[in-house]
Amino acid sequence: MITVEAHRARILAAVRPLEAVTVPVAAALGRVLREPVRSAVDLPLFDNSAMDGFAVHHADVAAASPDSPVTLEVVADLPAGTSLNPPIARGQAARIMTGAPFPSAADTVVPFEDTAGGLADSLGTATVVAAPRALGMHIRPRGEECRAGDEILPTGLVLGGRQLASAAAAGVTEVVVSRVPRVAVISTGDELRPPGAPLEHGQIPESNSTLLDGLCRENGAEVVLRAQVTDDGDGLQRALDEASGLGADVVITSGGVSAGAYEVVRNVAPMRFEKVAMQPGKPQGFGAGDPLLFGLPGNPVSVAVSFEVFVRPALLAMQGAAVLDRLILPMRVLEAWRTPAERRQYRPVVVTREGVRPASSGGSHLAASLGRADAYAIVPADVDAVAVGDLVDVMLIS
């Protein structure tokens, strides 16, 4: 057997970056940045108020207290969005709302909470009963966060909603991202039938294509082909040809890679087949051509684990992602289990506040229980069992 690291290294060495494209910010969700995003404007764009209250001269209110209040004349009203910049003389104030441009004639904001009348009595006079701690209190200065031209999002970042909002707030309308990888998913096996179809003895519902389609799309890829083929005939070759015709960058097969008598992927696909020291997922195939070919085992848990360990890093690498791996954290074991000899185990687990517990009894064929897992516990090959209270590395997948 070869190590997980050896198989993964061979895969990543064969990955070639996809071309970069420019898209509107609104269309960039889930895409990977190929060029940094730089702010188009200063943020904030102008000095503005951080509080609802009054724009004042600090010198007028520096000694204000409940016993010695200071009353100011309110000469202007500044809501958010105003373009006004009113003159404010000593002894005067302007009512101002959060986010409104701060007038150049004042130098401090007194919140409503530090006045006698608050918002309810704020348009004629303002009586300040608490002095600001310092000159310039509650003012957000122009460019405090960044200046126009500053980098706000780095190359290699996967764009989520928060990142798109950052770009929009900085006045950015377009971003340079990787082209979406095109993936073909092919399930193999005479026993497979579409979900909901009548089943004869020995037949099972096909779920791997649904699993792989979802995992690929979760990681920024477009699935251009979903096919199901039998263990004989020319179905697999025709599916591979169709995938190439559709411009697939990656083809993922499931099943047909073990040592049985009807292993169609082994017999047809131009891949190199390995036994990898992991459980589940020991039989693996990979072809370093164009498209990249991944031959995964047929059991659903093996498919899910193999995708996380080998396919997902490749999809992210071809998009130029800076981070290829999931977050891994040490967690306490809440239920004991045994592990296979000389193979690293990736055990589907459920994460709780107290620790982790197995999501199922452990078989790689247990497809229904896979949906309960939100992480994989990673147990080293030289460990034959984990006990309650042990710390294990846990790969978070949701």
Side-chain angles (χ1 to χ4, degrees):
M1 291 188 291
I2 66 170
T3 65
V4 170
E5 288 74 17
H7 191 58
R8 172 183 159 119
R10 178 168 172 255
I11 290 168
L12 292 180
V15 170
R16 298 293 177 265
L18 299 173
E19 62 270 25
V21 295
T22 300
V23 300
V25 167
L29 183 66
R31 307 288 282 271
V32 178
L33 276 177
R34 296 291 288 274
E35 293 182 6
V37 174
R38 299 186 181 279
S39 184
V41 295
D42 295 344
L43 288 178
L45 280 83
F46 43 81
D47 294 351
N48 68 90
S49 178
M51 298 287 286
D52 296 326
F54 299 94
V56 303
H57 292 276
H58 181 264
D60 286 339
V61 296
S65 69
D67 295 331
S68 181
V70 175
T71 299
L72 305 172
E73 179 191 7
V74 178
V75 297
D77 188 21
L78 305 175
T82 186
S83 60
L84 297 176
N85 184 17
I88 302 172
R90 293 289 300 273
Q92 295 180 335
R95 189 173 76 162
I96 191 167
M97 301 301 154
T98 301
F102 191 79
S104 58
D107 58 23
T108 299
V109 174
V110 172
F112 285 138
E113 296 89 332
D114 292 340
T115 65
L119 175 63
D121 183 17
S122 58
L123 287 176
T125 60
T127 300
V128 180
V129 297
R133 292 195 305 273
L135 176 70
M137 285 294 295
H138 308 303
I139 300 172
R140 303 164 176 160
R142 176 173 181 165
E144 176 185 30
E145 183 174 14
C146 65
R147 292 289 184 181
D150 286 351
E151 180 180 311
I152 58 171
L153 297 173
T155 299
L157 192 67
V158 179
L159 295 173
R162 295 183 303 279
Q163 291 75 35
L164 297 183
S166 295
V172 175
T173 59
E174 294 182 329
V175 289
V176 179
V177 297
S178 178
R179 172 175 67 75
V180 173
R182 294 185 287 264
V183 179
V185 173
I186 305 171
S187 299
T188 71
D190 289 342
E191 73 278 17
L192 304 178
R193 292 296 180 272
L199 298 175
E200 298 180 4
H201 185 66
Q203 296 177 341
I204 60 174
E206 193 279 312
S207 64
N208 284 341
S209 66
T210 300
L211 171 64
L212 288 169
D213 177 85
L215 293 174
C216 287
R217 289 191 288 116
E218 286 175 6
N219 290 281
E222 174 191 8
V223 176
V224 297
L225 173 67
R226 283 176 61 175
Q228 178 184 326
V229 302
T230 61
D231 290 330
D232 55 12
D234 62 353
L236 177 58
Q237 187 58 60
R238 286 189 287 106
L240 292 173
D241 292 342
E242 183 178 359
S244 294
L246 291 170
D249 304 295
V250 173
V251 175
I252 310 171
T253 66
S254 60
V257 296
S258 296
Y262 304 99
E263 307 297 337
V264 62
V265 176
R266 272 186 173 271
N267 295 335
V268 174
M271 302 187 199
R272 173 177 166 180
F273 297 92
E274 306 279 7
K275 294 180 180 179
V276 181
M278 62 186 290
Q279 188 276 328
K282 182 172 74 171
Q284 295 285 335
F286 178 69
D290 184 15
L292 296 180
L293 302 178
F294 288 87
L296 308 186
N299 282 321
V301 181
S302 300
V303 171
V305 169
S306 299
F307 181 92
E308 287 295 331
V309 178
F310 301 122
V311 183
R312 180 178 182 272
L315 288 176
L316 293 176
M318 66 174 55
Q319 295 174 80
V323 177
L324 304 184
D325 297 309
R326 299 279 196 183
L327 182 63
I328 296 177
L329 297 173
M331 295 188 182
R332 295 285 177 190
V333 172
L334 302 178
E335 293 180 16
W337 71 82
R338 297 196 62 81
T339 63
E342 300 180 348
R343 288 192 285 165
R344 181 186 301 166
Q345 185 185 48
Y346 293 83
R347 182 71 181 262
V349 293
V350 176
V351 176
T352 70
R353 293 182 182 275
E354 293 76 28
V356 297
R357 64 180 75 254
S360 72
S361 60
S364 61
H365 62 294
L366 300 175
S369 61
L370 183 61
R372 292 194 292 270
D374 42 27
Y376 296 121
I378 306 173
V379 185
D382 59 355
V383 175
D384 60 7
V386 294
V388 173
D390 285 353
L391 278 175
V392 294
D393 284 341
V394 176
M395 177 197 296
L396 303 179
I397 57 174
S398 64

